[in-house]
Amino acid sequence: MLKGEMTDISEIDMLKMQVEQLRKELKAERGMVSKSATELKDWMESMAAEDMLLKGIPEDQNPFKEKGGCVLS
């Protein structure tokens, strides 16, 4: 939006909204990145056996398996 155009929300209202958002963020519980990263890594490793992208889909359960081939002669 160009400067000087009329908006539905005044600049004061926008600033009030920003202050309110900052107050909400201030109250958010924070944790140490080193602890969170370790927990995330451990969880990912524990779930790796169930991850279809890592282990693949069994041929008998694969809906995208080739049904037949094309033979040109």
Side-chain angles (χ1 to χ4, degrees):
M1 196 167 278
L2 297 175
K3 206 170 196 173
E5 286 186 16
M6 295 298 291
T7 61
D8 292 340
I9 301 175
S10 72
E11 188 174 347
I12 292 174
D13 290 335
M14 286 292 276
L15 291 172
K16 286 179 182 179
M17 289 170 51
Q18 289 176 352
V19 169
E20 184 61 32
Q21 181 63 33
L22 290 171
R23 285 185 177 142
K24 289 178 185 176
E25 290 177 18
L26 182 63
K27 294 176 185 176
E29 186 177 331
R30 308 229 189 281
M32 295 180 64
V33 172
S34 58
K35 183 176 185 256
S36 299
T38 302
E39 290 173 355
L40 179 60
K41 182 181 84 58
D42 292 343
W43 180 80
M44 289 171 56
E45 288 174 350
S46 72
M47 300 301 287
E50 300 172 31
D51 192 332
M52 290 295 178
L53 294 175
L54 294 176
K55 72 175 191 173
I57 300 172
E59 285 297 317
D60 60 332
Q61 296 176 0
N62 186 354
F64 302 105
K65 182 174 82 172
E66 292 281 335
K67 302 291 187 237
C70 178
V71 179
L72 297 175
S73 53

Short mmCIF file of all heavy atoms in Angstrom, two decimals:
data_model
loop_
_atom_site.label_atom_id
_atom_site.label_comp_id
_atom_site.label_asym_id
_atom_site.label_seq_id
_atom_site.Cartn_x
_atom_site.Cartn_y
_atom_site.Cartn_z
N MET A 1 0.85 -1.16 0.00
CA MET A 1 0.00 0.00 0.00
C MET A 1 0.90 1.23 0.00
O MET A 1 1.91 1.28 0.69
CB MET A 1 -0.90 -0.02 1.23
CG MET A 1 -2.05 0.90 1.13
SD MET A 1 -3.28 0.56 2.41
CE MET A 1 -4.15 -0.78 1.68
N LEU A 2 0.56 2.24 -0.76
CA LEU A 2 1.35 3.45 -0.85
C LEU A 2 1.16 4.30 0.39
O LEU A 2 0.09 4.34 0.99
CB LEU A 2 0.96 4.24 -2.09
CG LEU A 2 1.21 3.57 -3.43
CD1 LEU A 2 0.65 4.43 -4.55
CD2 LEU A 2 2.68 3.31 -3.63
N LYS A 3 2.23 5.01 0.73
CA LYS A 3 2.16 5.89 1.88
C LYS A 3 1.15 6.99 1.61
O LYS A 3 1.10 7.54 0.52
CB LYS A 3 3.55 6.48 2.14
CG LYS A 3 3.77 6.88 3.55
CD LYS A 3 5.22 7.22 3.78
CE LYS A 3 5.46 7.22 5.27
NZ LYS A 3 6.82 7.37 5.62
N GLY A 4 0.35 7.31 2.56
CA GLY A 4 -0.63 8.36 2.39
C GLY A 4 -2.02 7.84 2.03
O GLY A 4 -2.98 8.58 2.09
N GLU A 5 -2.10 6.55 1.61
CA GLU A 5 -3.42 5.99 1.30
C GLU A 5 -4.18 5.74 2.59
O GLU A 5 -3.60 5.44 3.62
CB GLU A 5 -3.28 4.67 0.53
CG GLU A 5 -2.87 4.85 -0.90
CD GLU A 5 -2.89 3.52 -1.63
OE1 GLU A 5 -3.50 2.56 -1.13
OE2 GLU A 5 -2.30 3.45 -2.70
N MET A 6 -5.49 5.83 2.52
CA MET A 6 -6.32 5.55 3.68
C MET A 6 -6.35 4.04 3.91
O MET A 6 -6.44 3.27 2.97
CB MET A 6 -7.75 6.06 3.46
CG MET A 6 -7.83 7.57 3.33
SD MET A 6 -7.29 8.43 4.81
CE MET A 6 -8.58 8.00 5.94
N THR A 7 -6.27 3.64 5.14
CA THR A 7 -6.34 2.22 5.48
C THR A 7 -7.48 2.00 6.45
O THR A 7 -7.96 2.94 7.09
CB THR A 7 -5.03 1.73 6.13
OG1 THR A 7 -4.81 2.48 7.33
CG2 THR A 7 -3.86 1.91 5.20
N ASP A 8 -7.91 0.73 6.54
CA ASP A 8 -8.99 0.40 7.46
C ASP A 8 -8.52 0.47 8.91
O ASP A 8 -9.30 0.70 9.82
CB ASP A 8 -9.51 -1.00 7.17
CG ASP A 8 -10.23 -1.06 5.83
OD1 ASP A 8 -10.65 -0.01 5.33
OD2 ASP A 8 -10.37 -2.18 5.29
N ILE A 9 -7.22 0.25 9.13
CA ILE A 9 -6.67 0.24 10.48
C ILE A 9 -5.71 1.42 10.60
O ILE A 9 -4.79 1.57 9.80
CB ILE A 9 -5.93 -1.08 10.76
CG1 ILE A 9 -6.87 -2.26 10.59
CG2 ILE A 9 -5.31 -1.07 12.14
CD1 ILE A 9 -6.20 -3.60 10.73
N SER A 10 -5.91 2.24 11.61
CA SER A 10 -5.04 3.40 11.80
C SER A 10 -3.67 2.94 12.29
O SER A 10 -3.48 1.81 12.77
CB SER A 10 -5.66 4.38 12.78
OG SER A 10 -5.59 3.84 14.10
N GLU A 11 -2.71 3.82 12.18
CA GLU A 11 -1.35 3.51 12.62
C GLU A 11 -1.32 3.22 14.12
O GLU A 11 -0.62 2.32 14.57
CB GLU A 11 -0.42 4.68 12.28
CG GLU A 11 1.04 4.36 12.54
CD GLU A 11 1.97 5.46 12.06
OE1 GLU A 11 1.54 6.35 11.31
OE2 GLU A 11 3.14 5.41 12.46
N ILE A 12 -2.10 3.93 14.88
CA ILE A 12 -2.16 3.71 16.33
C ILE A 12 -2.72 2.32 16.63
O ILE A 12 -2.20 1.61 17.49
CB ILE A 12 -3.01 4.81 17.02
CG1 ILE A 12 -2.28 6.15 16.92
CG2 ILE A 12 -3.30 4.45 18.47
CD1 ILE A 12 -3.07 7.33 17.43
N ASP A 13 -3.76 1.91 15.90
CA ASP A 13 -4.32 0.58 16.10
C ASP A 13 -3.30 -0.50 15.74
O ASP A 13 -3.21 -1.53 16.42
CB ASP A 13 -5.59 0.40 15.26
CG ASP A 13 -6.75 1.23 15.78
OD1 ASP A 13 -6.75 1.56 16.98
OD2 ASP A 13 -7.64 1.56 14.98
N MET A 14 -2.53 -0.27 14.68
CA MET A 14 -1.50 -1.23 14.29
C MET A 14 -0.44 -1.35 15.38
O MET A 14 0.00 -2.45 15.72
CB MET A 14 -0.83 -0.81 12.97
CG MET A 14 -1.69 -1.03 11.76
SD MET A 14 -1.91 -2.78 11.44
CE MET A 14 -0.44 -3.11 10.53
N LEU A 15 -0.03 -0.22 15.93
CA LEU A 15 0.97 -0.24 17.00
C LEU A 15 0.43 -0.94 18.24
O LEU A 15 1.16 -1.69 18.89
CB LEU A 15 1.41 1.19 17.33
CG LEU A 15 2.24 1.89 16.24
CD1 LEU A 15 2.46 3.35 16.60
CD2 LEU A 15 3.56 1.18 16.01
N LYS A 16 -0.84 -0.74 18.55
CA LYS A 16 -1.46 -1.42 19.69
C LYS A 16 -1.46 -2.94 19.46
O LYS A 16 -1.20 -3.71 20.38
CB LYS A 16 -2.88 -0.92 19.92
CG LYS A 16 -2.95 0.47 20.53
CD LYS A 16 -4.38 0.92 20.72
CE LYS A 16 -4.47 2.31 21.29
NZ LYS A 16 -5.86 2.76 21.45
N MET A 17 -1.76 -3.35 18.24
CA MET A 17 -1.76 -4.78 17.91
C MET A 17 -0.35 -5.36 18.05
O MET A 17 -0.17 -6.48 18.56
CB MET A 17 -2.29 -5.00 16.50
CG MET A 17 -3.78 -4.74 16.36
SD MET A 17 -4.41 -4.71 14.67
CE MET A 17 -3.78 -6.22 13.99
N GLN A 18 0.65 -4.61 17.62
CA GLN A 18 2.02 -5.08 17.73
C GLN A 18 2.44 -5.22 19.20
O GLN A 18 3.09 -6.21 19.57
CB GLN A 18 2.98 -4.14 17.00
CG GLN A 18 2.85 -4.21 15.49
CD GLN A 18 3.73 -3.19 14.79
OE1 GLN A 18 4.34 -2.33 15.41
NE2 GLN A 18 3.78 -3.30 13.47
N VAL A 19 2.07 -4.24 20.02
CA VAL A 19 2.38 -4.31 21.45
C VAL A 19 1.71 -5.52 22.08
O VAL A 19 2.32 -6.25 22.87
CB VAL A 19 1.99 -3.00 22.16
CG1 VAL A 19 2.05 -3.15 23.68
CG2 VAL A 19 2.88 -1.86 21.70
N GLU A 20 0.45 -5.76 21.73
CA GLU A 20 -0.27 -6.91 22.28
C GLU A 20 0.41 -8.22 21.87
O GLU A 20 0.55 -9.14 22.68
CB GLU A 20 -1.73 -6.89 21.80
CG GLU A 20 -2.58 -7.99 22.39
CD GLU A 20 -2.68 -7.95 23.91
OE1 GLU A 20 -2.66 -6.85 24.49
OE2 GLU A 20 -2.77 -9.03 24.50
N GLN A 21 0.84 -8.30 20.61
CA GLN A 21 1.53 -9.50 20.15
C GLN A 21 2.84 -9.70 20.91
O GLN A 21 3.17 -10.81 21.31
CB GLN A 21 1.81 -9.42 18.64
CG GLN A 21 2.51 -10.63 18.08
CD GLN A 21 1.70 -11.91 18.21
OE1 GLN A 21 0.48 -11.89 18.14
NE2 GLN A 21 2.40 -13.02 18.43
N LEU A 22 3.59 -8.64 21.13
CA LEU A 22 4.84 -8.74 21.88
C LEU A 22 4.59 -9.18 23.32
O LEU A 22 5.38 -9.96 23.87
CB LEU A 22 5.59 -7.40 21.85
CG LEU A 22 6.18 -7.01 20.49
CD1 LEU A 22 6.69 -5.58 20.53
CD2 LEU A 22 7.27 -7.98 20.09
N ARG A 23 3.50 -8.72 23.91
CA ARG A 23 3.16 -9.16 25.27
C ARG A 23 2.87 -10.66 25.31
O ARG A 23 3.27 -11.36 26.23
CB ARG A 23 1.96 -8.38 25.80
CG ARG A 23 2.30 -6.98 26.19
CD ARG A 23 1.13 -6.26 26.81
NE ARG A 23 1.54 -4.92 27.23
CZ ARG A 23 0.79 -3.84 27.13
NH1 ARG A 23 -0.44 -3.93 26.64
NH2 ARG A 23 1.24 -2.68 27.52
N LYS A 24 2.16 -11.16 24.28
CA LYS A 24 1.87 -12.60 24.21
C LYS A 24 3.16 -13.40 24.05
O LYS A 24 3.34 -14.44 24.69
CB LYS A 24 0.94 -12.90 23.03
CG LYS A 24 -0.47 -12.43 23.21
CD LYS A 24 -1.30 -12.72 21.98
CE LYS A 24 -2.69 -12.15 22.07
NZ LYS A 24 -3.45 -12.36 20.83
N GLU A 25 4.06 -12.91 23.20
CA GLU A 25 5.32 -13.62 22.97
C GLU A 25 6.19 -13.62 24.22
O GLU A 25 6.93 -14.57 24.47
CB GLU A 25 6.06 -12.99 21.79
CG GLU A 25 5.37 -13.24 20.47
CD GLU A 25 6.05 -12.57 19.30
OE1 GLU A 25 7.23 -12.18 19.41
OE2 GLU A 25 5.40 -12.43 18.25
N LEU A 26 6.12 -12.55 25.00
CA LEU A 26 6.90 -12.45 26.23
C LEU A 26 6.48 -13.53 27.23
O LEU A 26 7.31 -14.08 27.95
CB LEU A 26 6.73 -11.06 26.84
CG LEU A 26 7.51 -10.78 28.12
CD1 LEU A 26 9.01 -10.84 27.86
CD2 LEU A 26 7.13 -9.41 28.67
N LYS A 27 5.18 -13.87 27.24
CA LYS A 27 4.67 -14.87 28.18
C LYS A 27 4.92 -16.31 27.74
O LYS A 27 4.76 -17.23 28.53
CB LYS A 27 3.16 -14.67 28.37
CG LYS A 27 2.80 -13.37 29.04
CD LYS A 27 1.29 -13.20 29.11
CE LYS A 27 0.92 -11.84 29.68
NZ LYS A 27 -0.53 -11.62 29.67
N ALA A 28 5.33 -16.50 26.49
CA ALA A 28 5.54 -17.86 25.98
C ALA A 28 6.70 -18.54 26.71
O ALA A 28 7.73 -17.93 26.98
CB ALA A 28 5.85 -17.81 24.48
N GLU A 29 6.48 -19.81 27.04
CA GLU A 29 7.51 -20.58 27.73
C GLU A 29 8.66 -20.88 26.76
O GLU A 29 8.45 -21.25 25.62
CB GLU A 29 6.92 -21.90 28.24
CG GLU A 29 7.89 -22.69 29.09
CD GLU A 29 7.26 -23.95 29.65
OE1 GLU A 29 6.03 -23.95 29.85
OE2 GLU A 29 8.00 -24.91 29.87
N ARG A 30 9.86 -20.68 27.22
CA ARG A 30 11.03 -20.89 26.38
C ARG A 30 11.87 -22.04 26.94
O ARG A 30 11.87 -22.31 28.12
CB ARG A 30 11.88 -19.63 26.34
CG ARG A 30 11.08 -18.39 25.98
CD ARG A 30 11.76 -17.60 24.91
NE ARG A 30 11.17 -16.31 24.64
CZ ARG A 30 10.09 -16.09 23.92
NH1 ARG A 30 9.42 -17.09 23.45
NH2 ARG A 30 9.67 -14.87 23.68
N GLY A 31 12.56 -22.70 26.04
CA GLY A 31 13.45 -23.79 26.45
C GLY A 31 14.80 -23.63 25.79
O GLY A 31 14.96 -22.88 24.82
N MET A 32 15.77 -24.32 26.33
CA MET A 32 17.11 -24.25 25.76
C MET A 32 17.15 -25.00 24.43
O MET A 32 16.61 -26.10 24.32
CB MET A 32 18.13 -24.84 26.73
CG MET A 32 18.26 -24.04 28.02
SD MET A 32 19.47 -24.75 29.15
CE MET A 32 20.96 -24.56 28.20
N VAL A 33 17.78 -24.39 23.43
CA VAL A 33 17.86 -25.01 22.11
C VAL A 33 18.62 -26.33 22.19
O VAL A 33 18.24 -27.31 21.55
CB VAL A 33 18.54 -24.04 21.11
CG1 VAL A 33 18.80 -24.74 19.79
CG2 VAL A 33 17.67 -22.82 20.90
N SER A 34 19.68 -26.39 22.97
CA SER A 34 20.47 -27.61 23.06
C SER A 34 19.62 -28.78 23.57
O SER A 34 19.73 -29.90 23.07
CB SER A 34 21.69 -27.41 23.96
OG SER A 34 21.28 -26.99 25.26
N LYS A 35 18.76 -28.53 24.54
CA LYS A 35 17.88 -29.57 25.07
C LYS A 35 16.80 -29.94 24.05
O LYS A 35 16.54 -31.12 23.80
CB LYS A 35 17.24 -29.11 26.37
CG LYS A 35 16.37 -30.16 27.03
CD LYS A 35 15.84 -29.69 28.36
CE LYS A 35 15.08 -30.79 29.05
NZ LYS A 35 13.65 -30.65 29.01
N SER A 36 16.18 -28.94 23.44
CA SER A 36 15.12 -29.19 22.46
C SER A 36 15.66 -29.94 21.25
O SER A 36 15.01 -30.86 20.73
CB SER A 36 14.50 -27.88 22.01
OG SER A 36 13.92 -27.21 23.10
N ALA A 37 16.85 -29.56 20.79
CA ALA A 37 17.44 -30.21 19.62
C ALA A 37 17.75 -31.67 19.92
O ALA A 37 17.52 -32.55 19.08
CB ALA A 37 18.70 -29.47 19.19
N THR A 38 18.24 -31.94 21.11
CA THR A 38 18.54 -33.32 21.50
C THR A 38 17.26 -34.15 21.56
O THR A 38 17.22 -35.28 21.07
CB THR A 38 19.26 -33.35 22.86
OG1 THR A 38 20.44 -32.57 22.77
CG2 THR A 38 19.61 -34.76 23.28
N GLU A 39 16.21 -33.59 22.15
CA GLU A 39 14.93 -34.30 22.23
C GLU A 39 14.36 -34.56 20.83
O GLU A 39 13.85 -35.65 20.57
CB GLU A 39 13.93 -33.50 23.06
CG GLU A 39 14.27 -33.46 24.54
CD GLU A 39 13.36 -32.51 25.32
OE1 GLU A 39 12.53 -31.81 24.71
OE2 GLU A 39 13.50 -32.48 26.55
N LEU A 40 14.46 -33.58 19.96
CA LEU A 40 13.96 -33.74 18.59
C LEU A 40 14.74 -34.81 17.85
O LEU A 40 14.16 -35.67 17.18
CB LEU A 40 14.04 -32.41 17.84
CG LEU A 40 13.57 -32.42 16.40
CD1 LEU A 40 12.11 -32.84 16.30
CD2 LEU A 40 13.78 -31.06 15.76
N LYS A 41 16.06 -34.81 17.98
CA LYS A 41 16.90 -35.82 17.33
C LYS A 41 16.56 -37.22 17.84
O LYS A 41 16.41 -38.16 17.05
CB LYS A 41 18.38 -35.53 17.58
CG LYS A 41 19.33 -36.50 16.90
CD LYS A 41 20.77 -36.17 17.20
CE LYS A 41 21.32 -36.69 18.44
NZ LYS A 41 21.38 -38.04 18.80
N ASP A 42 16.42 -37.36 19.15
CA ASP A 42 16.07 -38.66 19.73
C ASP A 42 14.71 -39.15 19.23
O ASP A 42 14.54 -40.32 18.90
CB ASP A 42 16.07 -38.59 21.26
CG ASP A 42 17.46 -38.36 21.84
OD1 ASP A 42 18.45 -38.58 21.11
OD2 ASP A 42 17.55 -37.95 23.02
N TRP A 43 13.73 -38.24 19.17
CA TRP A 43 12.40 -38.61 18.68
C TRP A 43 12.46 -39.04 17.22
O TRP A 43 11.85 -40.04 16.84
CB TRP A 43 11.43 -37.45 18.85
CG TRP A 43 10.07 -37.76 18.37
CD1 TRP A 43 9.09 -38.47 19.01
CD2 TRP A 43 9.51 -37.42 17.08
NE1 TRP A 43 7.97 -38.56 18.22
CE2 TRP A 43 8.20 -37.93 17.03
CE3 TRP A 43 10.00 -36.72 15.99
CZ2 TRP A 43 7.38 -37.77 15.92
CZ3 TRP A 43 9.19 -36.56 14.90
CH2 TRP A 43 7.89 -37.08 14.86
N MET A 44 13.20 -38.30 16.41
CA MET A 44 13.31 -38.64 14.99
C MET A 44 13.96 -40.01 14.81
O MET A 44 13.52 -40.81 13.98
CB MET A 44 14.11 -37.56 14.25
CG MET A 44 13.35 -36.26 14.11
SD MET A 44 14.33 -34.88 13.49
CE MET A 44 14.97 -35.51 11.96
N GLU A 45 14.99 -40.28 15.58
CA GLU A 45 15.65 -41.59 15.49
C GLU A 45 14.72 -42.71 15.94
O GLU A 45 14.73 -43.80 15.37
CB GLU A 45 16.94 -41.57 16.29
CG GLU A 45 18.03 -40.74 15.63
CD GLU A 45 19.27 -40.59 16.49
OE1 GLU A 45 19.25 -40.97 17.69
OE2 GLU A 45 20.27 -40.08 15.96
N SER A 46 13.90 -42.46 16.96
CA SER A 46 12.98 -43.49 17.44
C SER A 46 11.87 -43.77 16.44
O SER A 46 11.32 -44.87 16.39
CB SER A 46 12.40 -43.11 18.80
OG SER A 46 11.46 -42.06 18.66
N MET A 47 11.51 -42.78 15.63
CA MET A 47 10.43 -42.93 14.66
C MET A 47 10.92 -43.37 13.27
O MET A 47 10.12 -43.62 12.38
CB MET A 47 9.66 -41.61 14.52
CG MET A 47 9.02 -41.13 15.82
SD MET A 47 7.84 -42.30 16.50
CE MET A 47 6.49 -42.11 15.36
N ALA A 48 12.23 -43.47 13.09
CA ALA A 48 12.80 -43.77 11.77
C ALA A 48 12.30 -45.11 11.23
O ALA A 48 12.10 -45.26 10.02
CB ALA A 48 14.33 -43.76 11.84
N ALA A 49 12.08 -46.08 12.09
CA ALA A 49 11.63 -47.40 11.64
C ALA A 49 10.24 -47.34 11.01
O ALA A 49 9.90 -48.19 10.18
CB ALA A 49 11.64 -48.38 12.81
N GLU A 50 9.45 -46.35 11.38
CA GLU A 50 8.09 -46.22 10.85
C GLU A 50 8.00 -45.21 9.70
O GLU A 50 6.92 -45.01 9.16
CB GLU A 50 7.15 -45.78 11.98
CG GLU A 50 7.12 -46.77 13.13
CD GLU A 50 6.35 -46.22 14.30
OE1 GLU A 50 5.40 -45.43 14.10
OE2 GLU A 50 6.67 -46.59 15.44
N ASP A 51 9.10 -44.58 9.35
CA ASP A 51 9.10 -43.53 8.34
C ASP A 51 9.11 -44.13 6.94
O ASP A 51 10.07 -44.77 6.52
CB ASP A 51 10.31 -42.62 8.52
CG ASP A 51 10.22 -41.35 7.70
OD1 ASP A 51 9.58 -41.38 6.64
OD2 ASP A 51 10.82 -40.34 8.12
N MET A 52 8.02 -43.93 6.20
CA MET A 52 7.89 -44.50 4.85
C MET A 52 8.92 -43.92 3.88
O MET A 52 9.30 -44.57 2.92
CB MET A 52 6.49 -44.26 4.30
CG MET A 52 5.44 -45.07 4.99
SD MET A 52 5.74 -46.82 4.69
CE MET A 52 4.45 -47.52 5.65
N LEU A 53 9.35 -42.69 4.11
CA LEU A 53 10.35 -42.10 3.23
C LEU A 53 11.72 -42.74 3.41
O LEU A 53 12.52 -42.77 2.48
CB LEU A 53 10.45 -40.59 3.46
CG LEU A 53 9.21 -39.78 3.09
CD1 LEU A 53 9.40 -38.32 3.49
CD2 LEU A 53 8.92 -39.89 1.61
N LEU A 54 11.99 -43.27 4.60
CA LEU A 54 13.28 -43.91 4.86
C LEU A 54 13.28 -45.39 4.52
O LEU A 54 14.23 -45.90 3.93
CB LEU A 54 13.68 -43.73 6.33
CG LEU A 54 13.96 -42.31 6.77
CD1 LEU A 54 14.25 -42.28 8.26
CD2 LEU A 54 15.12 -41.72 6.00
N LYS A 55 12.21 -46.09 4.89
CA LYS A 55 12.21 -47.55 4.70
C LYS A 55 11.50 -47.98 3.42
O LYS A 55 11.66 -49.10 2.98
CB LYS A 55 11.60 -48.25 5.91
CG LYS A 55 10.11 -48.10 6.05
CD LYS A 55 9.59 -48.93 7.21
CE LYS A 55 8.09 -48.98 7.17
NZ LYS A 55 7.54 -49.88 8.12
N GLY A 56 10.72 -47.11 2.84
CA GLY A 56 10.01 -47.45 1.62
C GLY A 56 8.68 -48.14 1.92
O GLY A 56 8.37 -48.49 3.05
N ILE A 57 7.92 -48.36 0.86
CA ILE A 57 6.60 -49.00 0.98
C ILE A 57 6.72 -50.42 0.46
O ILE A 57 7.27 -50.65 -0.61
CB ILE A 57 5.56 -48.23 0.14
CG1 ILE A 57 5.46 -46.79 0.63
CG2 ILE A 57 4.20 -48.91 0.20
CD1 ILE A 57 4.61 -45.90 -0.24
N PRO A 58 6.21 -51.40 1.21
CA PRO A 58 6.24 -52.78 0.72
C PRO A 58 5.52 -52.88 -0.63
O PRO A 58 4.50 -52.23 -0.84
CB PRO A 58 5.51 -53.58 1.80
CG PRO A 58 5.54 -52.72 3.02
CD PRO A 58 5.60 -51.31 2.54
N GLU A 59 6.06 -53.68 -1.53
CA GLU A 59 5.50 -53.80 -2.87
C GLU A 59 4.02 -54.19 -2.87
O GLU A 59 3.25 -53.70 -3.67
CB GLU A 59 6.30 -54.83 -3.68
CG GLU A 59 7.65 -54.32 -4.15
CD GLU A 59 7.54 -53.14 -5.11
OE1 GLU A 59 6.68 -53.18 -6.01
OE2 GLU A 59 8.30 -52.18 -4.95
N ASP A 60 3.62 -55.06 -1.94
CA ASP A 60 2.22 -55.50 -1.92
C ASP A 60 1.27 -54.42 -1.41
O ASP A 60 0.06 -54.51 -1.59
CB ASP A 60 2.07 -56.78 -1.10
CG ASP A 60 2.50 -56.60 0.35
OD1 ASP A 60 3.36 -55.74 0.62
OD2 ASP A 60 1.97 -57.33 1.20
N GLN A 61 1.79 -53.36 -0.78
CA GLN A 61 0.95 -52.28 -0.26
C GLN A 61 1.11 -50.99 -1.05
O GLN A 61 0.48 -49.99 -0.74
CB GLN A 61 1.31 -52.00 1.20
CG GLN A 61 1.03 -53.16 2.11
CD GLN A 61 1.48 -52.87 3.53
OE1 GLN A 61 2.00 -51.80 3.84
NE2 GLN A 61 1.27 -53.82 4.41
N ASN A 62 1.93 -50.98 -2.07
CA ASN A 62 2.22 -49.78 -2.84
C ASN A 62 1.13 -49.53 -3.89
O ASN A 62 1.03 -50.25 -4.87
CB ASN A 62 3.59 -49.91 -3.52
CG ASN A 62 4.01 -48.64 -4.21
OD1 ASN A 62 3.26 -47.68 -4.29
ND2 ASN A 62 5.23 -48.64 -4.72
N PRO A 63 0.32 -48.48 -3.71
CA PRO A 63 -0.75 -48.20 -4.69
C PRO A 63 -0.20 -47.64 -6.00
O PRO A 63 -0.91 -47.59 -6.99
CB PRO A 63 -1.63 -47.16 -3.98
CG PRO A 63 -0.71 -46.48 -3.02
CD PRO A 63 0.29 -47.54 -2.60
N PHE A 64 1.07 -47.24 -6.03
CA PHE A 64 1.65 -46.64 -7.22
C PHE A 64 2.55 -47.61 -7.98
O PHE A 64 3.25 -47.22 -8.91
CB PHE A 64 2.45 -45.39 -6.84
CG PHE A 64 1.62 -44.37 -6.13
CD1 PHE A 64 1.75 -44.19 -4.76
CD2 PHE A 64 0.69 -43.60 -6.81
CE1 PHE A 64 0.97 -43.26 -4.09
CE2 PHE A 64 -0.09 -42.68 -6.14
CZ PHE A 64 0.04 -42.50 -4.79
N LYS A 65 2.50 -48.88 -7.58
CA LYS A 65 3.33 -49.89 -8.22
C LYS A 65 2.90 -50.05 -9.69
O LYS A 65 1.72 -49.99 -10.01
CB LYS A 65 3.17 -51.22 -7.48
CG LYS A 65 4.03 -52.34 -8.04
CD LYS A 65 3.94 -53.58 -7.16
CE LYS A 65 2.70 -54.35 -7.48
NZ LYS A 65 2.62 -55.64 -6.81
N GLU A 66 3.88 -50.26 -10.55
CA GLU A 66 3.59 -50.48 -11.97
C GLU A 66 2.71 -51.70 -12.11
O GLU A 66 3.01 -52.77 -11.59
CB GLU A 66 4.90 -50.68 -12.73
CG GLU A 66 5.78 -49.46 -12.83
CD GLU A 66 5.30 -48.49 -13.91
OE1 GLU A 66 4.64 -48.92 -14.87
OE2 GLU A 66 5.59 -47.28 -13.77
N LYS A 67 1.60 -51.57 -12.83
CA LYS A 67 0.68 -52.67 -13.02
C LYS A 67 1.17 -53.62 -14.13
O LYS A 67 0.93 -54.78 -14.12
CB LYS A 67 -0.71 -52.16 -13.38
CG LYS A 67 -1.29 -51.22 -12.35
CD LYS A 67 -1.63 -51.92 -11.06
CE LYS A 67 -2.36 -51.01 -10.12
NZ LYS A 67 -1.82 -50.79 -8.86
N GLY A 68 1.81 -53.06 -15.07
CA GLY A 68 2.33 -53.85 -16.19
C GLY A 68 3.30 -53.00 -16.98
O GLY A 68 3.41 -51.80 -16.79
N GLY A 69 4.01 -53.62 -17.86
CA GLY A 69 4.98 -52.88 -18.62
C GLY A 69 4.51 -52.65 -20.04
O GLY A 69 3.50 -53.18 -20.49
N CYS A 70 5.23 -51.87 -20.73
CA CYS A 70 4.94 -51.57 -22.12
C CYS A 70 6.05 -52.19 -22.96
O CYS A 70 7.23 -51.93 -22.70
CB CYS A 70 4.89 -50.06 -22.33
SG CYS A 70 4.58 -49.60 -24.02
N VAL A 71 5.69 -53.01 -23.91
CA VAL A 71 6.67 -53.69 -24.74
C VAL A 71 6.50 -53.21 -26.18
O VAL A 71 5.41 -53.27 -26.75
CB VAL A 71 6.51 -55.23 -24.69
CG1 VAL A 71 7.51 -55.90 -25.58
CG2 VAL A 71 6.62 -55.70 -23.26
N LEU A 72 7.56 -52.68 -26.72
CA LEU A 72 7.55 -52.25 -28.11
C LEU A 72 8.33 -53.27 -28.92
O LEU A 72 9.41 -53.69 -28.55
CB LEU A 72 8.20 -50.88 -28.26
CG LEU A 72 7.50 -49.72 -27.52
CD1 LEU A 72 8.31 -48.46 -27.65
CD2 LEU A 72 6.10 -49.51 -28.06
N SER A 73 7.77 -53.67 -30.05
CA SER A 73 8.52 -54.62 -30.87
C SER A 73 8.65 -54.13 -32.28
O SER A 73 8.03 -53.24 -32.75
CB SER A 73 7.85 -55.98 -30.86
OG SER A 73 6.49 -55.89 -31.22
#
